[in-house]
Amino acid sequence: MSLIKLINLPPLGDERGSLVSLESNKSIPFDIKRVYYIFGTKSGVARGFHAHKKLKQVAVCVTGKCRMTLDDGIQRKEEWLDSATKGILIEDMIWREMHDFSDDCVLLVLASEHYDESDYIRNYDEFLKGVNNV
Ligand code: T46
């Protein structure tokens, strides 16, 4: 199974410009329970550094770009999110880091669950233990 799962979000464009529609269980492969967006990230700041026990998410840079690093405990891969038509699926039990935010980056995230701090694993060793069922 590929660690990087990209979702093509085709623009519904006409002569006025572009529009992307995101729908539960269509382009987004789960029921969307929460939407948030990250913007104004300061230069040189990295975010994330955690995994989720249950949460699945799709992230898309609607403006600007950032570099998403995903790690399943065996391999670590990265992908530039640099297009409003490129989503990335982040499954449960995947460590994620976001680096190199452009000044104009707006990272939109669609989430399968409501916010729950107890779903976060913020310690990498604890994440590895969870992945390996230790
Ligand atoms: C993720 C990556 C891609 C809330 O109160 N509600 C929310 O829905 C979220 C997402 C965050 N918060 C609070 C918790 C913190 O006090 O907002 C603050 C910043 O959150 P955090 O430090 O977790 O932000 P990131 O950018 O490190 O991670 C976020 C998401 O939390 C996380 O689920 O996968 O973006």
Side-chain angles (χ1 to χ4, degrees):
M1 191 72 99
S2 173
L3 178 55
I4 301 290
K5 293 171 184 152
L6 298 178
I7 298 176
N8 183 36
L9 305 168
L12 307 170
D14 59 24
E15 66 284 355
R16 297 170 298 169
S18 300
L19 180 158
V20 171
S21 171
L22 307 173
E23 292 187 58
S24 292
N25 301 307
K26 290 191 173 175
S27 52
I28 307 303
F30 48 73
D31 281 331
I32 301 165
K33 288 201 183 147
R34 178 166 51 108
V35 177
Y36 62 91
Y37 45 95
I38 295 169
F39 63 101
T41 303
K42 302 280 185 291
S43 176
V45 169
R47 306 187 64 123
F49 298 91
H50 58 258
H52 285 281
K53 296 172 191 167
K54 185 174 168 199
L55 185 72
K56 297 180 197 308
Q57 302 188 107
V58 171
V60 51
C61 273
V62 293
T63 297
K65 63 180 181 176
C66 70
R67 183 168 53 87
M68 178 74 76
T69 298
L70 298 182
D71 180 336
D72 62 7
I74 298 169
Q75 55 176 340
R76 176 173 277 247
K77 295 208 165 165
E78 58 182 48
E79 181 75 26
W80 277 99
L81 300 182
D82 53 6
S83 164
T85 63
K86 184 203 263 190
I88 191 165
L89 174 63
I90 311 171
E91 303 263 26
D92 53 293
M93 291 307 286
I94 298 289
W95 186 265
R96 83 287 320 268
E97 299 170 9
M98 293 93 78
H99 299 266
D100 299 330
F101 286 82
S102 61
D103 288 345
D104 60 346
C105 181
V106 180
L107 180 64
L108 176 72
V109 184
L110 310 165
S112 67
E113 306 295 335
H114 297 294
Y115 178 69
D116 176 7
E117 181 58 36
S118 71
D119 188 64
Y120 284 71
I121 303 174
R122 295 190 182 273
N123 178 285
Y124 189 73
D125 290 335
E126 191 187 326
F127 160 68
L128 288 180
K129 283 181 190 162
V131 166
N132 295 312
N133 284 320
V134 177

